[in-house]
Amino acid sequence: MEFDFSAILLGLTVLFGVVWGLDRLFLYKKRKTRLDAAGDEYRDPVPVDWARSLFPVVLVVLLLRSFVAEPFRIPSGSMMPTLDVGDFILVNKFAYGLRMPAFNNKFVSMGEPKRGDVVVFRWPGYTCHQADGSVVHGGNQDCSIPVPNQNWIKRVIGLPGDTIEVHDSQIVIDGKPVVAEEIGPFVGNHARHADEELLSYGAMIWKERLGPVDHLIARMPNRMATPSVPNANMPSVVPDNCYLVMGDDRENSEDSRWWGCMPEKNLAGKAFLIWMSWKGWGTGGVDFSRIGTVIH
């Protein structure tokens, strides 16, 4: 079962607020008058006491997560070496505008993603073209299952209106190849699954420049072939209100090359800081060197 924590927080906020508010409007005075007349010490009923105590706490958490910063944990290696499996990050929720909790509808615009930004978004699923010309989305390549409720993280490569070509790890934007410089082989720990894959395929680390952003990527040309762009799901010209996103672990990332562009309406925010990094028992524990790292 998948849980939408924002929806749960919103539901609890409404529930506690309604219970507390209705009690104060219709029941509190009568109850207090009755107890005072009997000489008893006043106490709220347990459900009302809980609602009164928890409402402000849940409301503050909801507001902070929805409009300021939200924590996420990196579950996979698709953004290595920038983000490691087990990194705990903070996401700026107002970088691109304010959105309604749970519903994600933008009601205040504060900018749009820039090339090179690392963004968190609600995964739109695979794009499937039906025989009648309609387009549907699903959780697998033939769209036979529903799209799961998941937040993903990738790097913005193509902006609306850009003409993009991708062949293996080579990216061409509006006719200009993206500049990348080879740094050297990936160095990791064979005991960690995420590292072992990169090591076993002889991954090389490159420094790539996207606009003003210099960042590291991993290339594993011997791992598997990745889809080129354009393809059936991702056209060469990025559609309006959509973005082409890719992982920094280029041969180990299920991204726009596979499932299509990421709609602007699915944005959750911009990743900006690693506040904790856990590499697992016996394989590094807490990686203090990554704590406080600004995400580029």
Side-chain angles (χ1 to χ4, degrees):
M1 182 180 294
E2 297 166 354
F3 294 94
D4 187 328
F5 193 52
S6 294
I8 293 172
L9 280 175
L10 180 60
L12 289 175
T13 302
V14 172
L15 174 63
F16 294 149
V18 168
V19 170
W20 185 26
L22 290 178
D23 177 78
R24 283 301 182 267
L25 284 173
F26 300 108
L27 302 176
Y28 168 73
K29 289 183 178 180
K30 293 181 180 179
R31 183 170 61 247
K32 189 174 188 307
T33 300
R34 185 176 67 254
L35 292 174
D36 287 345
D40 295 332
E41 180 183 358
Y42 177 81
R43 290 183 180 179
D44 283 324
V46 172
V48 176
D49 185 51
W50 275 82
R52 176 181 58 82
S53 301
L54 292 175
F55 172 73
V57 176
V58 177
L59 176 62
V60 168
V61 173
L62 175 67
L63 293 176
L64 288 175
R65 284 177 55 96
S66 301
F67 304 129
V68 181
E70 184 173 0
F72 286 91
R73 179 182 180 276
I74 303 300
S76 71
S78 71
M79 283 298 293
M80 291 179 71
T82 303
L83 297 173
D84 202 354
V85 177
D87 281 348
F88 292 80
I89 67 170
L90 289 177
V91 173
N92 183 335
K93 296 305 292 286
F94 58 86
Y96 309 127
L98 301 181
R99 297 175 182 269
M100 289 294 296
F103 300 100
N104 211 43
N105 297 324
K106 183 189 287 188
F107 62 91
V108 176
S109 181
M110 302 177 69
E112 301 297 339
K114 298 179 178 60
R115 199 184 322 281
D117 285 359
V118 177
V119 297
V120 171
F121 56 93
R122 184 69 54 84
W123 184 49
Y126 279 87
T127 302
C128 296
H129 300 271
Q130 305 292 75
D132 61 2
S134 62
V135 176
V136 298
H137 293 86
N140 54 3
Q141 294 191 38
D142 62 6
C143 296
S144 59
I145 62 174
V147 179
N149 181 19
Q150 296 175 344
N151 284 312
W152 286 28
I153 184 166
K154 304 292 179 187
R155 189 178 297 276
V156 174
I157 306 295
L159 306 177
D162 283 346
T163 299
I164 305 287
E165 293 182 29
V166 181
H167 301 286
D168 296 324
S169 292
Q170 182 60 57
I171 302 170
V172 179
I173 302 175
D174 293 333
K176 298 179 180 179
V178 171
V179 176
E181 172 189 356
E182 186 174 314
I183 302 299
F186 172 79
V187 177
N189 182 351
H190 281 281
R192 297 186 72 231
H193 175 72
D195 289 1
E196 173 59 25
E197 182 171 39
L198 289 161
L199 291 168
S200 64
Y201 284 102
M204 298 296 293
I205 302 301
W206 292 66
K207 181 168 70 175
E208 182 179 80
R209 165 157 287 193
L210 284 170
V213 178
D214 287 330
H215 64 100
L216 299 180
I217 64 171
R219 292 180 175 178
M220 295 183 290
N222 296 326
R223 184 180 184 273
M224 64 178 294
T226 54
S228 297
V229 175
N231 60 49
N233 290 335
M234 187 68 229
S236 58
V237 178
V238 182
D240 292 341
N241 300 312
C242 229
Y243 297 87
L244 188 152
V245 296
M246 294 172 63
D248 287 347
D249 189 353
R250 290 294 158 79
E251 279 72 42
N252 184 31
S253 174
E254 189 178 353
D255 49 41
S256 288
R257 295 171 292 179
W258 298 86
W259 42 261
C261 70
M262 185 274 294
E264 189 276 339
K265 64 181 181 180
N266 288 45
L267 277 170
K270 179 182 179 181
F272 70 95
L273 184 74
I274 299 172
W275 63 272
M276 173 61 75
S277 183
W278 173 252
K279 290 196 170 181
W281 295 108
T283 55
V286 176
D287 188 346
F288 291 98
S289 67
R290 296 182 64 81
I291 296 176
T293 300
V294 177
I295 299 170
H296 295 292

